[in-house]
Amino acid sequence: MKLGSDVGKCQGYGNCVAIDEQHFDLDDDGMVVVVQQEVSEGERETTEEAVRSCPVAAIWIEGAR
Amino acid sequence: MSDHVVVVGSSVGGVRTVQELRRLGFGGDITVVGQEEEKPYDKPPLSKQVLMGTQTEDQILLLGEGGFEALGAQARLGVRATGLDIDSMTVALADGDEVEYDALVIATGVRPRNLSPALNELDSVFTVRELRDARELAARASLGPVAVVGAGFIGAEVAASFRSLGTEVTMTEAMQAPFARALGAQVGGLLSELHQDHGVQLLTDATVQTIERSGDVTLVRLADGRRVEAATVVVGIGATPNTEWLGDSGLKIADGVWVDAGCAVLAQGFGPHAEGVYAIGDVARQVDPVTNKDYRVEHWTNAVEHAHAVARQIVDPTSAPQPLKAPYFWSDQFDLKVQMVGRPAEADAVTMHRFNVSGTEKTVAIYEANGVVAAAVTLGWPRAIAACRHAWEARADVDALVSTLSELADRRRTAAL
């Protein structure tokens, strides 16, 4: 599984980072950065929670959109 | 497992409950009752993007094509719930219908307070809660000056949005600064400057006495004799939970529907337990099982967290509720993102901290209670709020959070070199 993101949509709300710091970060401008592309089966639940927590749907798991 | 889940409320809490139930494999029937006829939409953009015209109404819809039907849920939109009978496990609807439930999720939210009921009759006086409010306000941007009564978050966002459109804006606040009630004088002072720098005329210590209409002009009279003339008045003075329909249901209701950590409702006094009834989001007043304090939180993230928690409880009633999450919200005003975590009202001290992030100064207000971080507000530094949320959840002390934030500021600068 791989992660996708759209900085055009990102508003810097930071819910993703609060839930899953291993995969998501924000840069100095508050824009989402995917710091780890691969999501293992064991990480999936937390990463999916982070994806669902985004108020503007700026992040997703590839193939699961 | 319940066979029929009824969700009352079709805003983000209700919608997310349905989505999460299906994601968790709930195979029973779902009925959603919603007061508004509109397709479910997201509310935070109403006072910002929708008002400014930077997002269309289609872009803030919460569900894709197919709506609730695509989730296998029956939608009863445009119908209010009028009563709850916890013995027969039935919800009464305004159209005379009754709906039986095995599990009921109350997600009826809040509605804006108004200064007096008579003001609803003035067609130049608005509150902001529903899509139609934002729609009508957006159309009035060119009609002339706007007066915003109440410099809370909705008021300040509305003021910033109109100002960004070039409209003349006066904002009145009963306290000495915007947000002073919620965030204290220091943060309030910074936000006052922000609004004044952008040309908002700010009248503080301003109590509204009357609002009158005279031809095309609406006149806001303040108790101290000052007056504001406007084409449009927006009132943003807080919100009231929509619980009237639950009046004689036997649920415990006092500024919200009281719920436990798993969002299950509490009974009034020694009254009977309401089997299978939950309340979530803005309307829910949740008791923290650790401290026994109760909180009602009117933020988007709280509604979503509640929705996910309640769906899990319905699908697996034996699952243990998680500890209460850090209250978190954001507000966008002009080009500044204001983000808050925690409960400033519980703090006994607040300190302002400044950090150099890639050459730009960022301000963080840290609220302290009994030596630990009770809340934090970041101004224009989204990355910091995630660290503040973790500090709150870990009950970190202020020094530890300051040092984490310093590292975050420095790490960024090093990485950029």
Side-chain angles (χ1 to χ4, degrees), chain B residues 84 86 106 243 246-260 264-274 277 279 283-287 292 294:
Chain B
L84 165 64
I86 61 173
I106 297 165
T243 55
L246 299 166
D248 53 5
S249 62
L251 305 188
K252 180 171 182 177
I253 293 168
D255 189 28
V257 181
W258 287 54
V259 299
D260 67 15
V265 297
L266 302 175
Q268 183 71 53
F270 294 101
H273 171 63
V277 182
V283 78
R285 177 165 286 279
Q286 192 168 37
V287 178
N292 215 31
D294 55 274

Side-chain angles (χ1 to χ4, degrees), chain B residues 127-141:
Chain B
T127 53
V128 185
R129 183 66 188 173
E130 297 183 359
L131 186 51
R132 60 178 177 184
D133 302 323
R135 202 182 277 151
E136 289 178 44
L137 281 171
R140 297 182 70 91

Side-chain angles (χ1 to χ4, degrees), chain B residues 33-324:
Chain B
V33 177
Q35 183 178 342
E36 282 183 78
E37 268 177 68
E38 308 276 359
K39 289 179 192 168
Y41 57 86
D42 208 20
K43 289 193 192 294
L46 294 184
S47 51
K48 303 178 282 267
Q49 292 90 342
V50 175
L51 191 45
M52 287 193 284
T54 56
Q55 267 189 335
T56 64
E57 294 183 9
D58 280 351
Q59 286 175 308
I60 65 164
L61 293 179
L62 290 169
L63 292 166
E65 208 156 316
F68 282 117
E69 284 68 28
L71 289 162
Q74 199 201 347
R76 305 280 301 264
L77 301 182
V79 185
R80 251 175 350 106
T82 53
L84 165 64
D85 185 329
I86 61 173
D87 297 324
S88 63
M89 299 181 75
T90 308
V91 175
L93 305 184
D95 62 6
D97 245 9
E98 292 195 333
V99 186
E100 284 182 26
Y101 62 83
D102 297 299
L104 170 67
V105 180
I106 297 165
T108 42
V110 295
R111 65 179 179 281
R113 271 192 221 118
N114 213 330
L115 288 162
S116 83
L119 286 180
N120 292 324
E121 287 158 26
L122 287 185
D123 62 6
S124 57
V125 180
F126 291 79
T127 53
V128 185
R129 183 66 188 173
E130 297 183 359
L131 186 51
R132 60 178 177 184
D133 302 323
R135 202 182 277 151
E136 289 178 44
L137 281 171
R140 297 182 70 91
S142 57
L143 295 186
V146 171
V148 176
V149 175
F153 295 101
I154 297 281
E157 287 184 350
V158 167
S161 296
F162 273 119
R163 197 67 207 105
S164 302
L165 291 170
T167 308
E168 203 179 299
V169 177
T170 302
M171 181 159 61
T172 73
E173 166 56 41
M175 308 272 289
Q176 59 183 357
F179 313 103
R181 196 186 309 272
L183 302 181
Q186 286 108 317
V187 173
L190 291 174
L191 294 171
S192 292
E193 284 172 28
L194 174 75
H195 280 264
Q196 285 165 335
D197 287 350
H198 283 84
V200 173
Q201 201 192 347
L202 186 62
L203 304 180
T204 53
D205 298 311
T207 309
V208 173
Q209 194 165 48
T210 59
I211 301 181
E212 303 154 14
R213 180 76 180 269
S214 164
D216 286 343
V217 174
T218 304
L219 183 66
V220 180
R221 287 183 191 277
L222 304 179
D224 60 8
R226 286 179 289 179
R227 32 188 284 168
V228 183
E229 287 185 5
T232 306
V233 177
V234 184
V235 179
I237 52 169
T240 308
N242 290 319
T243 55
E244 287 75 6
W245 67 285
L246 299 166
D248 53 5
S249 62
L251 305 188
K252 180 171 182 177
I253 293 168
D255 189 28
V257 181
W258 287 54
V259 299
D260 67 15
C263 292
V265 297
L266 302 175
Q268 183 71 53
F270 294 101
H273 171 63
E275 183 70 33
V277 182
Y278 303 85
I280 63 167
D282 294 8
V283 78
R285 177 165 286 279
Q286 192 168 37
V287 178
D288 185 333
V290 180
T291 62
N292 215 31
K293 290 181 184 170
D294 55 274
Y295 305 98
R296 196 171 63 73
V297 178
E298 294 176 1
H299 307 323
W300 188 98
T301 302
N302 176 67
V304 171
E305 287 166 353
H306 277 179
H308 291 177
V310 88
R312 198 174 54 245
Q313 290 288 309
I314 290 170
V315 171
D316 177 11
T318 62
S319 67
Q322 292 180 341
L324 264 53

